[in-house]
């Protein structure tokens, strides 16, 4: 294992480390307190930073949850499908108008040029 | 002080945050890519029939076939009548163009309404009436080649956009019937 200590290869220092032992007892409910602090730190709401950062934090907190990811995917697919359908309808109507005008110009010499 | 990234607390924290962020962004990216793909698929399917229309040799007739729900036999008859009408229509177009040119020339060289201008206007009106008569005969023949309901619909549609359209602005109420 790598360490950052410059005394890593000092025999005296290593011997001293081997002899060293902790005699001080841990405070009462030390382990429970540690876990409590970890949980409270994880539960802290993100309220600092730029709107972009807040959005990213929100996305990163929620999207990995399967239910939310599924809901988002459904909404995105529906939005994509609806947009494609609307665009196709719009262009189809335009093509219809163009061909209608073209037919009228073919059969009627008095139709306007465009 | 950090010496190596593996044991450096702030580096580990940044690395973990980046990984979490990458996961969220990856999921979002996949969702957006899916939405884009759905858009493209729906758009492709939705415009397929109209792209086919535009690839047709005579897209305006293909449009007519679809618009008035013509069967293959009915469309064959409509296309035959259309092809028979086209040479007459082209002759009319040439005569109208020549008459317009003549009238324009007279208008350029005259400072008042001369008998020649009046004759040219009358000739233009006569040509117009002749053209409309031929058009109307053709439209009736076309409508007879269609199923009865569609034929009636075709007649209403085509006369509204040709004969009646050109007459609309000429009433006593002024342009487009508005005072």
């Amino acid at each position: 294992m790598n360490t950052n200590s410059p005394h890593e290869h000092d025999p005296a220092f290593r011997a001293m480390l081997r002899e060293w032992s902790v005699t001080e007892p841990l405070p009462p409910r030390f382990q429970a307190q540690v876990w409590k602090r970890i949980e409270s730190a994880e539960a802290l709401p993100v309220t600092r930073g730029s709107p972009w950062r807040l959005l990213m934090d929100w996305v990163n907190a929620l999207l990995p949850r399967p239910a939310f990811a599924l809901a988002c995917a459904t909404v995105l697919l529906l939005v994509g499908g609806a947009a494609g359908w609307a665009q196709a309808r719009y262009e189809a109507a335009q093509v219809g108008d163009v061909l209608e005008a073209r037919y009228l110009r073919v059969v009627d010499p008095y139709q306007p040029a465009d | 002080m950090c010496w190596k990234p593996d044991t450096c607390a702030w580096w580990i924290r940044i690395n973990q945050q980046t990984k979490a962020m990458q996961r969220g962004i990856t999921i979002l990216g996949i969702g957006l890519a899916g939405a884009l793909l759905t858009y493209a698929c729906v758009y492709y399917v939705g415009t397929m029939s109209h792209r086919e229309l535009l690839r047709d040799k005579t897209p305006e007739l293909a449009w007519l076939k679809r618009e008035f729900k013509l069967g293959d036999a009915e469309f064959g008859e409509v296309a035959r009548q259309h092809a028979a009408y086209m040479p007459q229509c082209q002759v009319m177009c040439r005569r109208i163009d020549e008459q317009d040119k003549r009238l324009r020339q007279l208008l350029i060289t005259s400072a008042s309404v001369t008998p020649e201008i009046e004759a040219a206007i009358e000739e233009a009106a006569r040509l117009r009436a002749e053209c409309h008569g031929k058009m109307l005969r053709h439209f009736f023949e076309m409508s007879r080649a269609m199923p009865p309901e569609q034929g009636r619909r075709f007649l209403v549609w085509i006369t509204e956009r040709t004969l009646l359209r050109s007459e609309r602005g000429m009433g006593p109420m002024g342009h487009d019937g508005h005072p």
Side-chain angles (χ1 to χ4, degrees):
Chain A
M1 185 182 161
N2 292 330
T3 67
N4 296 330
S5 170
H7 305 290
E8 193 180 350
H9 302 297
D10 184 350
F13 180 73
R14 293 172 72 88
M16 193 187 292
L17 270 181
R18 271 196 297 275
E19 284 168 16
W20 180 61
S21 64
V22 178
T23 53
E24 189 75 18
L26 288 170
R29 302 185 65 244
F30 174 77
Q31 202 170 353
Q33 291 292 329
V34 169
W35 280 113
K36 197 176 171 186
R37 285 180 65 183
I38 289 171
E39 281 167 9
S40 59
E42 281 179 350
L44 270 178
V46 180
T47 52
R48 290 186 298 263
S50 65
W52 173 251
R53 175 75 203 177
L54 289 175
L55 179 71
M56 284 296 104
D57 286 344
W58 183 77
V59 164
N60 288 317
L62 289 179
L63 267 184
R65 296 180 188 175
F68 190 78
L70 189 68
C72 270
T74 308
V75 168
L76 283 171
L77 292 185
L78 284 175
V79 168
W85 181 76
Q87 183 68 19
R89 288 256 307 180
Y90 173 73
E91 287 189 16
Q94 277 195 325
V95 169
D97 289 348
V98 166
L99 292 179
E100 176 183 337
R102 189 165 157 170
Y103 175 74
L104 291 171
R105 276 201 303 276
V106 166
V107 296
D108 181 6
Y110 291 102
Q111 284 290 316
D114 46 46
Chain B
M1 182 75 183
C2 288
W3 296 99
K4 298 194 177 176
D6 291 347
T7 54
C8 182
W10 63 266
W11 174 257
I12 290 169
R13 193 158 52 243
I14 286 174
N15 205 21
Q16 281 173 344
Q17 281 178 356
T18 309
K19 277 181 183 166
M21 184 175 281
Q22 279 171 351
R23 196 173 170 207
I25 296 295
T26 305
I27 293 169
L28 190 65
I30 290 170
L32 287 173
L36 205 63
L37 191 69
T38 311
Y39 169 88
C41 288
V42 172
Y43 174 80
Y44 180 79
V45 172
T47 54
M48 190 181 279
S49 59
H50 283 83
R51 275 183 282 117
E52 271 173 29
L53 269 188
L54 291 172
R55 275 198 296 270
D56 199 282
K57 221 164 77 179
T58 50
E60 65 277 5
L61 284 187
W63 171 83
L64 199 73
K65 180 184 182 187
R66 173 172 304 176
E67 179 65 26
F68 294 98
K69 301 172 179 66
L70 305 179
D72 286 341
E74 292 152 347
F75 179 67
E77 178 59 18
V78 162
R80 192 190 64 74
Q81 285 179 357
H82 180 79
Y85 169 73
M86 286 318 291
Q88 300 177 47
C89 188
Q90 282 160 4
V91 168
M92 285 307 303
C93 278
R94 264 198 304 276
R95 288 173 61 192
I96 291 164
D97 284 346
E98 283 165 12
Q99 184 59 28
D100 281 352
K101 214 179 288 173
R102 199 175 307 141
L103 181 58
R104 193 170 290 119
Q105 194 61 38
L106 287 170
L107 291 173
I108 288 168
T109 53
S110 301
S112 61
V113 180
T114 62
E116 288 81 13
I117 289 176
E118 283 182 340
I121 290 170
E122 280 171 20
E123 176 60 15
R126 199 192 60 74
L127 263 180
R128 190 182 187 94
E130 185 184 340
C131 182
H132 279 180
K134 283 184 176 169
M135 265 166 42
L136 200 55
R137 270 192 292 279
H138 169 63
F139 297 154
F140 275 116
E141 283 168 3
M142 292 274 282
S143 74
R144 277 195 292 273
M146 296 178 181
E149 183 58 35
Q150 295 302 327
R152 277 191 290 276
R153 196 164 76 84
F154 170 78
L155 266 184
V156 171
W157 171 77
I158 195 84
T159 50
E160 282 290 337
R161 280 160 182 77
T162 54
L163 303 166
L164 299 176
R165 184 196 65 82
S166 57
E167 301 301 328
R168 202 177 297 150
M170 299 171 74
M173 300 294 279
H175 293 292
D176 295 329
H178 296 294

